Amino acid sequence: MNFQQGIKMCNFIGIEYLVALALIINNKEEISLAELNEYGVKITKVINDRNINAVFLFSSKYAIDMVRNYSDCFEWKEEESVLRRKANVSNDDLISKFLDYLSTDVLLAAQETKDTDAA
């Protein structure tokens, strides 16, 4: 069997990438877990429709871990139940830290979710 033929790599995409995409695409500073879940469903549908091999890793536990692991970028606002980008973190910061590593297919799918919302 030729291992180079017919094998597709699946991209596992962590919650930190989903949060960065959602904040940038939707021009937001913060997002609730419910909104993030809705966005995850939208982008997953687009990814599946385009036959892109990607899986988003999303759960409340991943969200808590993300805030701990990326405390330089995000904070959890308990009283409002939202994930918030820190004030000193720009879109360019999020792009260079997270989105530069995503495939073009995934980034185009994310853009399509914005186009769908505008319609």
Side-chain angles (χ1 to χ4, degrees):
M1 177 177 180
N2 183 346
F3 286 104
Q4 294 177 344
Q5 233 177 356
I7 295 178
K8 291 186 178 182
M9 180 187 263
C10 187
N11 297 297
F12 291 94
I13 302 170
I15 190 171
E16 61 275 12
Y17 300 94
L18 186 63
V19 170
L21 279 169
L23 292 176
I24 292 169
I25 292 292
N26 297 300
N27 197 30
K28 295 179 108 181
E29 298 297 316
E30 63 187 31
I31 190 165
S32 70
L33 291 181
E35 290 171 317
L36 188 61
N37 188 50
E38 284 179 32
Y39 183 71
V41 168
K42 279 184 199 174
I43 195 167
T44 298
K45 181 179 180 340
V46 172
I47 283 171
N48 289 337
D49 289 349
R50 290 178 163 214
N51 293 318
I52 299 168
N53 289 321
V55 175
F56 284 99
L57 304 175
F58 175 79
S59 74
S60 296
K61 182 193 179 321
Y62 287 148
I64 292 166
D65 290 346
M66 182 206 68
V67 171
R68 275 192 224 127
N69 294 336
Y70 298 101
S71 60
D72 58 325
C73 295
F74 306 109
E75 57 191 345
W76 174 249
K77 292 297 189 177
E78 185 70 39
E79 63 279 359
E80 301 164 36
S81 296
V82 295
L83 289 164
R84 181 173 293 155
R85 166 199 335 220
K86 288 204 169 173
N88 63 333
V89 177
S90 69
N91 279 352
D92 287 341
D93 294 331
L94 293 178
I95 289 167
S96 65
K97 187 157 191 155
F98 301 108
L99 305 189
D100 279 351
Y101 301 98
L102 292 179
S103 71
T104 304
D105 289 343
V106 172
L107 294 172
L108 290 172
Q111 182 62 44
E112 191 173 317
T113 64
K114 182 178 181 178
D115 296 342
T116 303
D117 287 342

